[in-house]
């Protein structure tokens, strides 16, 4: 639910104290929950030969056609050519869903005229991974992630998600307090991973996983995709996490490649620890650094839930949007889901998402895990009861109910519908995860 980047001071150097205060001030914008937003990522495929990679010129033409449409959503392109629609902040579920549905109808028609379609799938099985976009940011990102293996290229070029954005909540404690909502996002996140898993893998380090996309994200590097410890106060925990994560790149304004000393955290940069000659960081550098952090829940004033796979079908995407809205913005559903998710997390043991046992079980097994199935059933029941109170349309309620009956109540997820399509090209180097399947 982007509402614009935080206002930052001029381009003058900042101190460590300045950086802590800046992050502290922008990560949670508190107040009564009012807004909802969603960012939908899609794979763009040939309508007749969906297993074949698209030539770059066809992808670029598709993106240009989408951008030329008069949409209320913002159209952006991911490095591998995935198309993303980001809704404007909406003050109701109906406003969010109706705006995205209208825009998707227009985009799908424009692409179908070119023999193309949008597919909701969490991970593209086509090989090899091809980066469509070339820019200093993506060049630096690819070089950085290549240090730890091919997971970074897979994330950049082959992943797609439904990201749901909700307000941070009140400053004060309570069911809508920002601390409670921050914890709920991480606790219920594993349930959302399992229920909406839609990136099945047949080979590689994630063979047999329902949500291989989550495996890719967890293997990016040692810290960048991790959640901060939940026992910490939310702002303080996020400040530490942000400053103690390695800098991906130092932007150059002289046309040189964007690089950074290996292993240098943003806190190191602020202190100039062992890196003489490097220019001092500014507030703009800090703001940019925050965009290179990819935890499962990212605080950007609001809370951005990033753990949900792209969903199949024309309306599959609206189910996670509606369910997240219900579990966060209806007080009864929020209380019920918090109790269920906390009990589940306590049973599995603690540790930062997405590398703790609960999140890995969710990604690997989906709702075949009986404990996750029980938790998901309770959460979907709470959401279904809340949606009429939140003014959800009959169509939204029916779509959520159909999803629950087809998947949740049967201990299934979208990944269980079919094996992943086989790529037509010769096998390429497989991903190597940092952890073996557990």
């Amino acid at each position: 639910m982007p509402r614009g980047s935080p206002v930052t001071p001029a381009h003058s150097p900042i101190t460590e104290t300045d950086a802590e205060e800046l992050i502290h001030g922008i990560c949670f914008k508190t107040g009564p929950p009012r807004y909802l937003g969603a960012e939908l990522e899609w794979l763009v495929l040939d309508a007749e030969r969906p297993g074949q990679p698209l030539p770059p010129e066809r992808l670029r033409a598709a993106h240009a056609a989408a951008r030329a449409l008069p949409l209320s959503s913002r159209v952006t392109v991911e490095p591998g050519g995935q198309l993303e629609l980001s809704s404007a902040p909406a003050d109701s579920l109906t406003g969010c869903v109706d705006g995205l549905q209208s825009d998707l109808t227009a985009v799908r028609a424009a692409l179908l005229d070119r023999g193309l379609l949008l597919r909701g799938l969490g991970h593209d099985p086509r090989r090899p991974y091809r980066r469509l976009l070339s820019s200093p940011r993506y060049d630096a990102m690819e070089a950085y992630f290549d240090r730890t293996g091919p997971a970074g290229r897979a994330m950049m070029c082959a992943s797609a998600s439904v990201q749901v954005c909700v307000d941070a909540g009140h400053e004060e404690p309570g069911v809508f307090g920002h601390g409670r909502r921050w914890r709920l996002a991480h606790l219920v996140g594993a349930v959302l991973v399992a229920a909406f898993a839609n990136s099945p893998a047949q080979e590689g380090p994630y063979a047999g996983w329902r949500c291989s996309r989550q495996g890719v994200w967890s293997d990016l590097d040692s810290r960048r995709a991790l959640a901060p410890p939940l026992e910490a106060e939310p702002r303080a925990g996020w400040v530490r996490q942000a400053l103690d994560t390695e800098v991906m790149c130092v932007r150059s304004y002289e046309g040189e490649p964007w690089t950074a000393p290996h292993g240098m955290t943003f806190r190191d940069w602020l202190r100039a620890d062992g890196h003489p000659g490097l220019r001092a960081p500014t507030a703009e550098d800090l703001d940019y650094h925050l965009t290179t952090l990819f935890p499962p829940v990212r605080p950007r004033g609001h809370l951005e839930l990033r753990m949900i796979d792209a969903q199949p079908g024309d309306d599959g995407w609206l189910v996670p949007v509606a369910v997240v809205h219900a579990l966060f913005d209806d007080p009864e559903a929020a209380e019920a889901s918090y109790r269920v998710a906390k009990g589940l997390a306590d049973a599995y043991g603690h540790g930062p998402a997405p590398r703790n046992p609960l999140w890995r079980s969710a990604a690997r097994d989906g709702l075949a895990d009986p404990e996750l199935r029980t938790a998901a059933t309770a959460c979907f029941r709470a959401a279904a009861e809340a949606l009429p109170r939140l003014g959800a349309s009959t169509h939204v309620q029916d779509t959520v109910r159909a999803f629950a009956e087809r998947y949740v109540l049967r201990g299934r997820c979208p990944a269980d519908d079919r094996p992943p399509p086989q790529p037509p090209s010769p096998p390429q180097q497989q991903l190597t995860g940092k952890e073996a399947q557990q």
Side-chain angles (χ1 to χ4, degrees):
M1 182 176 46
R3 299 187 210 176
S5 299
V7 177
T8 56
H11 312 295
S12 56
I14 57 173
T15 65
E16 188 172 344
T17 299
D18 292 335
E20 291 175 346
E21 291 177 350
L22 283 168
I23 301 174
H24 190 278
I26 64 176
C27 56
F28 295 92
K29 300 293 187 184
T30 54
R34 293 179 54 204
Y35 293 103
L36 174 72
E39 302 172 21
L40 312 179
E41 296 173 346
W42 302 89
L43 306 181
V44 182
L45 308 180
D46 186 285
E48 296 183 357
R49 297 174 296 277
Q52 296 286 340
L54 284 176
E57 58 272 16
R58 287 194 73 191
L59 272 174
R60 293 190 179 97
H63 301 149
R67 288 190 175 110
L69 296 169
L71 307 177
S72 61
S73 304
R74 181 167 57 94
V75 177
T76 54
V77 178
E78 295 299 306
Q82 309 96 308
L83 191 145
E84 178 177 288
L85 290 180
S86 300
S87 74
D91 60 7
S92 69
L93 176 62
T94 297
C96 179
V97 168
D98 287 355
L100 281 168
Q101 280 183 322
S102 176
D103 290 345
L104 277 169
T105 298
V107 170
R108 286 184 173 123
L111 266 58
L112 192 59
D113 286 344
R114 292 161 175 78
L116 302 172
L117 53 82
L118 299 178
R119 171 163 293 174
L121 188 63
H123 194 266
D124 191 342
R126 296 174 296 178
R127 301 289 192 279
Y129 300 133
R130 293 188 173 98
R131 181 158 61 93
L132 179 71
L133 303 183
S134 180
S135 69
R137 174 183 172 89
Y138 292 131
D139 293 346
M141 186 178 291
E142 183 175 271
Y144 174 88
F145 284 131
D146 280 352
R147 300 174 188 169
T148 52
R153 293 195 183 208
M155 177 275 288
M156 294 171 67
C157 300
S159 67
S161 68
V162 174
Q163 298 177 17
V164 187
C165 302
V166 296
D167 278 323
H170 290 290
E171 187 68 29
E172 299 79 13
V175 67
F176 286 159
H178 75 282
R180 180 69 170 264
R181 287 163 73 86
W182 175 245
R183 288 184 61 82
L184 174 62
H186 290 88
L187 295 173
V188 82
V191 178
L192 300 175
V193 169
F196 297 112
N198 188 39
S199 50
Q202 289 184 332
E203 59 184 6
Y206 317 116
W209 286 38
R210 269 78 167 182
C211 185
S212 64
R213 172 182 162 271
Q214 196 63 54
V216 168
W217 278 101
S218 67
D219 284 343
L220 286 182
D221 70 9
S222 62
R223 191 177 182 92
R224 190 168 303 276
L226 283 183
L230 288 187
E231 60 269 18
E233 190 279 326
R235 289 189 178 95
W238 181 242
V239 167
R240 287 195 297 271
Q241 184 80 357
L243 294 184
D244 292 333
T245 297
E246 188 173 346
V247 174
M248 181 177 287
C249 60
V250 175
R251 294 174 298 168
S252 169
Y253 301 100
E254 307 298 329
E256 300 174 355
W258 295 6
T259 61
H262 184 63
M264 181 185 74
T265 67
F266 203 92
R267 196 183 303 277
D268 293 336
W269 190 10
L270 289 161
R271 296 174 177 178
D273 285 353
H275 305 290
L278 191 64
R279 67 172 177 81
T282 66
E284 278 194 341
D285 291 318
L286 175 61
D287 195 38
Y288 183 84
H289 174 66
L290 296 177
T291 72
T292 70
L293 307 181
F294 308 115
V297 183
R298 186 161 61 179
R300 304 183 63 187
H302 55 275
L303 304 182
E304 181 182 86
L305 279 68
R306 304 170 51 84
M307 74 289 292
I308 301 169
D309 277 353
Q311 295 296 290
D314 289 347
D315 292 337
W317 60 271
L318 71 78
V319 179
V321 176
V323 169
V324 169
H325 174 52
L327 298 184
F328 277 78
D329 294 335
D330 178 85
E332 293 181 31
E335 185 63 34
S337 60
Y338 184 87
R339 289 197 305 268
V340 167
K342 186 178 186 304
L344 182 66
D346 289 345
Y348 272 78
H350 298 284
R355 296 198 187 121
N356 63 40
L358 175 59
W359 278 66
R360 290 187 72 79
S361 182
R364 183 179 59 242
D365 302 327
L367 297 187
D369 179 310
E371 301 297 330
L372 279 160
R373 176 182 180 177
T374 298
T377 299
C379 287
F380 270 74
R381 182 184 303 115
E385 293 172 354
L387 286 173
R389 296 193 292 266
L390 294 168
S393 68
T394 300
H395 174 65
V396 168
Q397 294 181 55
D398 289 346
T399 304
V400 172
R401 184 181 304 110
F403 183 96
E405 292 173 352
R406 179 173 182 175
Y407 297 116
V408 179
L409 299 180
R410 299 170 61 193
R412 301 177 69 250
C413 58
D416 293 318
D417 279 351
R418 64 192 187 285
Q422 293 300 300
S425 43
Q428 302 292 313
Q429 179 186 11
Q430 295 181 349
L431 296 180
T432 55
K434 292 182 178 177
E435 302 176 49
Q437 180 175 330
Q438 298 176 359

